[in-house]
Amino acid sequence: MDSATSEKSIIALDGWLQTPAGAYARAWEQATLDALTADIFGFNAVQIGTPQIDALAASRMPNKWLADTRARRQPGDARQVAVTFDYAELPFASQSLDLVVLPHVLEFAAEPHQVLREVERVLIPEGKLIICGFNPASLWGMRRVTGRLTGSHYLPQAGEFISMPRIKDWLKLLNMEVSNGHFGCYAPACRTEKWLKRYAFMDHAGARWWPYLGAVYAVQAIKRVKGMRLIGPAWSKNRATAAVGVPATNKHRERQDG
């Protein structure tokens, strides 16, 4: 997918998110992101793409930004875009961010692997990454396949929907360890709010009986650095035997805010 096609795909996603099905998916993703980000601590957090969702609403970090490829505000956007850039070239210093959230970015990006490489670069060691995407192994995924044959499309046509196992493989190559995975939206591919509500019981049944077949997912990963261990202060119960104390210095890495 080239950059022009990617931009058109993102615009198509913007329109779809305003539909009843899009509102249904956004509601689940908002609740899931609120639960995941509330207990992630640090200083700097960035949400990339999909301004219709406020992925950092529950985050307690002091510095939070929304970044996208476009600066203009669309109807239904949760916040104003603060930073604009190409997804494949993040304008942040290496190891400067504690949290990055990618809601529906990889599946509509021209170079999803490059996006992940850039995210890995800007995350600090032990930094967190959260990815939201459409699950191809779901009722919505099946509807997308049949839509290509019938011409009746339910989800945005362009883009490559990426399964969670595939996402995990990509993350593993970047030394990103997956810590949590969540699926949601088990209702069939209905176009109206009325029918989506009629199938609301499937959200409870699906989470119990077929948990991996939800239409959307959220996966959380942690950046691991080989050979690095986080340790606490070295408390010693023994008194120093030297008559004069020897000063010790610790090296502290400076963080860049943005």
Side-chain angles (χ1 to χ4, degrees):
M1 184 190 306
D2 56 29
S3 298
T5 303
S6 174
E7 186 67 21
K8 292 180 180 179
S9 302
I10 295 171
I11 294 174
L13 175 65
D14 290 345
W16 183 86
L17 288 171
Q18 304 307 315
T19 66
Y24 170 52
R26 281 191 290 116
W28 180 85
E29 290 181 12
Q30 185 68 64
T32 302
L33 289 169
D34 286 347
L36 290 176
T37 59
D39 295 326
I40 298 178
F41 301 98
F43 295 93
N44 304 309
V46 172
Q47 172 187 342
I48 299 176
T50 319
Q52 294 86 353
I53 300 172
D54 189 352
L56 302 175
S59 174
R60 288 175 276 182
M61 295 191 191
N63 303 312
K64 300 184 291 185
W65 299 280
L66 170 63
D68 203 353
T69 57
R70 294 165 293 149
R72 62 183 183 274
R73 188 165 188 169
Q74 300 293 321
D77 289 358
R79 290 179 294 158
Q80 178 67 45
V81 174
V83 184
T84 59
F85 56 84
D86 188 320
Y87 288 157
E89 297 180 1
L90 303 185
F92 302 103
S94 298
Q95 299 188 11
S96 62
L97 302 178
D98 300 274
L99 171 64
V100 175
V101 184
L102 301 177
H104 299 288
V105 169
L106 297 181
E107 52 210 344
F108 296 101
E111 301 178 80
H113 296 89
Q114 176 60 22
V115 174
L116 281 181
R117 284 192 290 268
E118 278 290 278
V119 170
E120 189 277 337
R121 177 185 66 81
V122 301
L123 279 174
I124 67 169
E126 304 299 312
K128 306 296 194 305
L129 167 64
I130 301 176
I131 299 170
C132 296
F134 291 109
N135 181 18
S138 65
L139 294 176
W140 290 16
M142 293 175 58
R143 176 64 178 274
R144 185 168 183 262
V145 173
T146 59
R148 290 176 175 176
L149 301 175
T150 63
S152 177
H153 299 286
Y154 182 74
L155 295 168
Q157 299 180 46
E160 180 182 0
F161 293 176
I162 308 167
S163 67
M164 186 180 288
R166 191 177 178 191
I167 287 287
K168 290 182 178 180
D169 288 340
W170 289 1
L171 294 171
K172 185 177 180 180
L173 293 174
L174 294 171
N175 294 322
M176 302 283 290
E177 178 184 316
V178 175
S179 58
N180 291 300
H182 305 270
F183 290 88
C185 298
Y186 294 89
C190 302
R191 295 187 181 277
T192 65
E193 183 179 0
K194 174 182 177 181
W195 281 100
L196 287 170
K197 288 183 176 180
R198 286 190 176 184
Y199 285 105
F201 71 92
M202 293 186 67
D203 285 329
H204 301 286
R208 180 175 181 180
W209 299 109
W210 50 91
Y212 301 106
L213 301 181
V216 292
Y217 62 79
V219 58
Q220 179 178 325
I222 304 173
K223 177 181 175 179
R224 300 300 190 187
V225 177
K226 293 182 179 180
M228 176 181 177
R229 291 192 306 168
L230 296 180
I231 61 175
W235 300 107
S236 176
K237 295 182 180 180
N238 299 324
R239 291 180 178 271
T241 57
V244 180
V246 179
T249 60
N250 294 325
K251 295 182 177 180
H252 294 270
R253 179 180 57 77
E254 297 181 357
R255 290 186 178 178
Q256 299 182 15
D257 295 335

